[in-house]
Amino acid sequence: MIDAYTAHTPNGRKLAIMLEETGLPYRARTLDIGQGEPHAPWFRALNPNGKIPVIRDTDTGRVVWESGAILIYLAEKTGRLWATDSDARLDALQWVFFQAGSLGPMSGQFNHFRLQDEHTQALTRYRTEVRRLLGVLDDALAQQTYLAGAYSIADIAVLPWIRAVQTWGMTLDNFSHLDRWYGRLAARPAVVRGFQVPVASQHATTTVTPGENA
Ligand SMILES: N[C@@H](CCC(=O)N[C@@H](CS)C(=O)NCC(=O)O)C(=O)O
Protein backbone atom coordinates (compact mmCIF):
# COMPACT_ATOMS: atom_id res chain seq x y z
CA MET A 1 0.00 0.00 0.00
CA ILE A 2 1.20 3.48 -0.86
CA ASP A 3 0.21 6.35 1.42
CA ALA A 4 0.10 9.33 -0.94
CA TYR A 5 0.24 12.83 0.50
CA THR A 6 -0.97 15.07 -2.25
CA ALA A 7 -3.10 18.00 -3.37
CA HIS A 8 -4.84 19.21 -6.51
CA THR A 9 -1.67 20.74 -7.99
CA PRO A 10 0.57 19.77 -10.93
CA ASN A 11 3.07 17.93 -8.74
CA GLY A 12 0.30 16.20 -6.84
CA ARG A 13 -1.38 15.12 -10.07
CA LYS A 14 1.89 13.68 -11.32
CA LEU A 15 1.87 11.24 -8.41
CA ALA A 16 -1.84 10.47 -8.80
CA ILE A 17 -1.43 9.65 -12.51
CA MET A 18 1.52 7.37 -11.75
CA LEU A 19 -0.46 5.52 -9.10
CA GLU A 20 -3.43 5.12 -11.41
CA GLU A 21 -1.26 3.99 -14.33
CA THR A 22 0.56 1.36 -12.28
CA GLY A 23 -2.57 0.19 -10.47
CA LEU A 24 -0.78 0.12 -7.12
CA PRO A 25 -3.20 0.22 -4.18
CA TYR A 26 -2.94 3.53 -2.40
CA ARG A 27 -4.55 5.84 0.10
CA ALA A 28 -4.68 9.49 -0.87
CA ARG A 29 -4.44 12.17 1.80
CA THR A 30 -5.06 15.66 0.39
CA LEU A 31 -3.24 18.42 2.25
CA ASP A 32 -4.67 21.92 2.52
CA ILE A 33 -1.91 24.07 1.01
CA GLY A 34 -3.89 27.27 1.55
CA GLN A 35 -3.88 26.57 5.28
CA GLY A 36 -0.13 25.83 5.27
CA GLU A 37 -0.64 22.16 6.14
CA PRO A 38 2.56 20.98 4.34
CA HIS A 39 4.55 23.02 6.87
CA ALA A 40 2.99 21.37 9.91
CA PRO A 41 5.55 19.53 12.07
CA TRP A 42 3.94 16.12 11.41
CA PHE A 43 4.38 16.61 7.66
CA ARG A 44 7.85 18.16 7.82
CA ALA A 45 8.91 15.01 9.63
CA LEU A 46 8.11 13.24 6.34
CA ASN A 47 9.48 15.93 4.00
CA PRO A 48 11.87 18.48 5.51
CA ASN A 49 11.08 20.75 2.52
CA GLY A 50 7.42 20.97 3.54
CA LYS A 51 5.94 20.26 0.10
CA ILE A 52 3.69 17.69 -1.49
CA PRO A 53 3.85 15.11 -2.95
CA VAL A 54 5.26 12.57 -0.50
CA ILE A 55 4.71 8.83 -0.38
CA ARG A 56 5.17 6.21 2.27
CA ASP A 57 5.41 2.65 1.01
CA THR A 58 3.89 0.52 3.75
CA ASP A 59 5.51 -2.61 2.22
CA THR A 60 8.99 -1.26 2.95
CA GLY A 61 8.45 1.66 5.33
CA ARG A 62 10.27 3.88 2.86
CA VAL A 63 9.25 7.55 2.67
CA VAL A 64 10.05 9.36 -0.60
CA TRP A 65 9.68 13.09 -1.36
CA GLU A 66 10.39 15.13 -4.53
CA SER A 67 7.98 14.09 -7.26
CA GLY A 68 10.69 13.03 -9.74
CA ALA A 69 12.24 10.70 -7.16
CA ILE A 70 8.76 9.35 -6.39
CA LEU A 71 8.11 8.59 -10.06
CA ILE A 72 11.42 6.72 -10.28
CA TYR A 73 10.75 4.83 -7.03
CA LEU A 74 7.32 3.69 -8.23
CA ALA A 75 8.65 2.80 -11.70
CA GLU A 76 11.34 0.65 -10.12
CA LYS A 77 8.92 -0.92 -7.66
CA THR A 78 6.49 -1.94 -10.40
CA GLY A 79 8.84 -2.39 -13.36
CA ARG A 80 6.49 -0.10 -15.30
CA LEU A 81 6.81 3.14 -17.26
CA TRP A 82 10.59 3.27 -17.35
CA ALA A 83 12.68 1.40 -19.90
CA THR A 84 15.06 -1.33 -18.81
CA ASP A 85 18.05 -0.40 -20.97
CA SER A 86 20.23 2.40 -19.67
CA ASP A 87 20.16 4.59 -22.79
CA ALA A 88 16.37 4.73 -22.85
CA ARG A 89 16.31 5.31 -19.08
CA LEU A 90 18.58 8.27 -19.53
CA ASP A 91 16.29 9.65 -22.24
CA ALA A 92 13.40 9.57 -19.76
CA LEU A 93 15.50 11.02 -16.93
CA GLN A 94 16.50 14.00 -19.06
CA TRP A 95 12.83 14.98 -19.37
CA VAL A 96 12.10 14.30 -15.71
CA PHE A 97 14.90 16.72 -14.79
CA PHE A 98 13.81 19.18 -17.50
CA GLN A 99 10.42 19.29 -15.81
CA ALA A 100 11.79 19.47 -12.26
CA GLY A 101 14.47 22.06 -13.03
CA SER A 102 12.88 24.19 -15.74
CA LEU A 103 9.25 23.66 -16.73
CA GLY A 104 7.90 23.33 -13.18
CA PRO A 105 9.72 26.25 -11.54
CA MET A 106 9.29 28.64 -14.50
CA SER A 107 5.58 27.82 -14.83
CA GLY A 108 5.12 28.21 -11.08
CA GLN A 109 6.71 31.66 -11.16
CA PHE A 110 4.61 32.57 -14.20
CA ASN A 111 1.47 31.69 -12.26
CA HIS A 112 2.66 33.61 -9.19
CA PHE A 113 3.33 36.86 -11.08
CA ARG A 114 0.25 36.42 -13.28
CA LEU A 115 -1.78 36.96 -10.14
CA GLN A 116 0.08 40.16 -9.20
CA ASP A 117 -0.56 43.01 -11.63
CA GLU A 118 2.30 45.22 -10.49
CA HIS A 119 5.07 42.76 -11.43
CA THR A 120 4.81 43.06 -15.21
CA GLN A 121 8.55 42.71 -15.86
CA ALA A 122 8.72 39.44 -13.95
CA LEU A 123 5.54 38.23 -15.63
CA THR A 124 6.98 38.96 -19.08
CA ARG A 125 10.19 37.13 -18.22
CA TYR A 126 8.46 33.99 -16.96
CA ARG A 127 5.86 33.96 -19.73
CA THR A 128 8.63 34.17 -22.34
CA GLU A 129 10.58 31.41 -20.66
CA VAL A 130 7.57 29.10 -20.34
CA ARG A 131 6.75 29.60 -24.01
CA ARG A 132 10.34 28.80 -24.90
CA LEU A 133 10.11 25.57 -22.89
CA LEU A 134 6.82 24.67 -24.59
CA GLY A 135 8.69 25.11 -27.87
CA VAL A 136 11.39 22.69 -26.71
CA LEU A 137 8.71 20.10 -25.97
CA ASP A 138 6.93 20.79 -29.24
CA ASP A 139 10.13 20.26 -31.23
CA ALA A 140 10.81 16.98 -29.43
CA LEU A 141 7.26 15.75 -30.04
CA ALA A 142 7.51 16.60 -33.73
CA GLN A 143 9.99 13.73 -33.94
CA GLN A 144 8.40 11.20 -31.60
CA THR A 145 5.06 10.10 -30.16
CA TYR A 146 6.22 10.21 -26.54
CA LEU A 147 9.04 12.14 -24.91
CA ALA A 148 11.34 9.17 -24.39
CA GLY A 149 10.47 6.30 -26.72
CA ALA A 150 7.46 4.57 -25.15
CA TYR A 151 5.00 6.23 -22.76
CA SER A 152 6.95 6.71 -19.54
CA ILE A 153 7.56 8.70 -16.37
CA ALA A 154 8.92 11.44 -18.66
CA ASP A 155 5.43 12.04 -20.06
CA ILE A 156 3.83 11.74 -16.63
CA ALA A 157 6.21 14.34 -15.17
CA VAL A 158 5.42 16.90 -17.86
CA LEU A 159 1.71 16.29 -18.51
CA PRO A 160 0.14 18.00 -15.44
CA TRP A 161 2.25 21.11 -16.09
CA ILE A 162 0.90 21.37 -19.63
CA ARG A 163 -2.58 21.14 -18.17
CA ALA A 164 -1.71 23.79 -15.59
CA VAL A 165 -0.27 26.39 -17.95
CA GLN A 166 -3.41 26.13 -20.08
CA THR A 167 -5.61 26.77 -17.05
CA TRP A 168 -3.34 29.76 -16.33
CA GLY A 169 -4.16 31.32 -19.70
CA MET A 170 -1.53 29.98 -22.10
CA THR A 171 -2.64 28.26 -25.28
CA LEU A 172 -0.99 25.50 -27.25
CA ASP A 173 -2.10 27.10 -30.53
CA ASN A 174 1.45 27.47 -31.81
CA PHE A 175 2.58 24.11 -30.46
CA SER A 176 0.62 21.62 -32.53
CA HIS A 177 2.76 18.57 -31.72
CA LEU A 178 2.57 19.27 -28.00
CA ASP A 179 -1.16 19.91 -28.32
CA ARG A 180 -1.72 16.53 -30.00
CA TRP A 181 0.43 14.76 -27.42
CA TYR A 182 -1.51 16.45 -24.62
CA GLY A 183 -4.89 15.52 -26.12
CA ARG A 184 -3.87 11.89 -26.55
CA LEU A 185 -2.48 11.50 -23.04
CA ALA A 186 -5.22 13.46 -21.29
CA ALA A 187 -7.73 10.97 -22.73
CA ARG A 188 -6.05 7.97 -21.11
CA PRO A 189 -8.43 6.57 -18.47
CA ALA A 190 -5.70 6.50 -15.79
CA VAL A 191 -4.85 10.12 -16.50
CA VAL A 192 -8.51 11.15 -16.34
CA ARG A 193 -8.75 9.43 -12.93
CA GLY A 194 -5.41 10.83 -11.78
CA PHE A 195 -6.55 14.37 -12.51
CA GLN A 196 -9.44 13.81 -10.11
CA VAL A 197 -7.65 12.19 -7.18
CA PRO A 198 -8.78 11.56 -4.53
CA VAL A 199 -12.29 11.71 -6.01
CA ALA A 200 -13.28 9.09 -8.64
CA SER A 201 -10.20 6.94 -8.22
CA GLN A 202 -10.40 3.16 -8.57
CA HIS A 203 -7.51 2.44 -6.25
CA ALA A 204 -7.51 5.21 -3.65
CA THR A 205 -9.90 3.61 -1.25
CA THR A 206 -9.54 5.69 1.88
CA THR A 207 -8.33 9.02 3.08
CA VAL A 208 -5.93 8.92 5.98
CA THR A 209 -5.68 11.52 8.69
CA PRO A 210 -2.39 13.15 9.72
CA GLY A 211 -2.28 11.34 13.02
CA GLU A 212 -2.45 7.92 11.36
CA ASN A 213 0.67 8.31 9.30
CA ALA A 214 2.71 10.93 11.07
N1 LIG B 1 10.32 20.01 -6.50
C1 LIG B 1 9.17 19.61 -5.75
C2 LIG B 1 8.16 20.71 -5.78
C3 LIG B 1 6.97 20.38 -4.89
C4 LIG B 1 6.04 21.58 -4.78
O1 LIG B 1 6.37 22.72 -5.15
N2 LIG B 1 4.85 21.32 -4.21
C5 LIG B 1 3.89 22.38 -4.02
C6 LIG B 1 2.57 22.01 -4.67
S1 LIG B 1 2.76 21.69 -6.41
C7 LIG B 1 3.65 22.56 -2.53
O2 LIG B 1 3.64 21.62 -1.78
N3 LIG B 1 3.46 23.81 -2.10
C8 LIG B 1 3.12 24.08 -0.74
C9 LIG B 1 3.96 25.15 -0.14
O3 LIG B 1 4.98 25.53 -0.73
O4 LIG B 1 3.58 25.60 0.92
C10 LIG B 1 8.60 18.30 -6.33
O5 LIG B 1 8.72 18.11 -7.55
O6 LIG B 1 8.06 17.48 -5.57
Side-chain angles (χ1 to χ4, degrees):
M1 173 72 70
I2 302 293
D3 284 326
Y5 298 85
T6 187
H8 292 282
T9 70
N11 288 316
R13 292 189 169 110
K14 207 186 293 180
L15 165 59
I17 291 167
M18 185 67 180
L19 289 166
E20 291 291 334
E21 288 284 9
T22 56
L24 282 167
Y26 69 96
R27 295 182 287 205
R29 161 75 164 90
T30 304
L31 275 77
D32 190 337
I33 291 180
Q35 294 298 314
E37 204 177 1
H39 300 282
W42 72 267
F43 188 72
R44 290 179 70 117
L46 297 176
N47 180 359
N49 195 29
K51 292 191 187 288
I52 65 93
V54 171
I55 61 164
R56 186 207 301 265
D57 183 345
T58 63
D59 298 341
T60 62
R62 177 73 212 201
V63 172
V64 190
W65 45 273
E66 277 295 320
S67 58
I70 293 172
L71 292 182
I72 292 168
Y73 178 86
L74 295 176
E76 299 239 291
K77 179 180 173 75
T78 58
R80 301 271 320 278
L81 296 160
W82 200 17
T84 45
D85 84 89
S86 56
D87 251 8
R89 282 190 166 217
L90 210 45
D91 285 343
L93 268 189
Q94 288 174 159
W95 289 111
V96 170
F97 279 97
F98 168 90
Q99 182 280 309
S102 297
L103 182 65
M106 293 299 130
S107 303
Q109 294 303 320
F110 165 71
N111 185 42
H112 175 83
F113 288 108
R114 181 182 70 93
L115 300 170
Q116 309 197 14
D117 291 342
E118 69 272 27
H119 294 293
T120 50
Q121 195 182 344
L123 178 59
T124 301
R125 163 157 174 70
Y126 290 116
R127 182 191 287 117
T128 303
E129 182 61 2
V130 172
R131 291 190 70 76
R132 188 188 70 77
L133 295 167
L134 296 181
V136 172
L137 289 162
D138 193 58
D139 287 348
L141 291 165
Q143 316 294 329
Q144 55 211 35
T145 308
Y146 299 105
L147 287 170
Y151 179 56
S152 75
I153 56 172
D155 302 288
I156 293 173
V158 169
L159 185 70
W161 286 96
I162 302 305
R163 179 188 198 264
V165 297
Q166 292 178 86
T167 65
W168 299 337
M170 287 205 177
T171 78
L172 301 183
D173 288 351
N174 294 321
F175 306 109
S176 60
H177 306 291
L178 181 60
D179 192 27
R180 269 197 295 280
W181 169 90
Y182 179 78
R184 206 168 49 245
L185 268 56
R188 290 176 67 90
V191 172
V192 171
R193 289 194 302 274
F195 277 150
Q196 296 171 5
V197 165
V199 180
S201 161
Q202 282 184 346
H203 308 290
T205 48
T206 57
T207 299
V208 298
T209 55
E212 272 177 53
N213 286 308

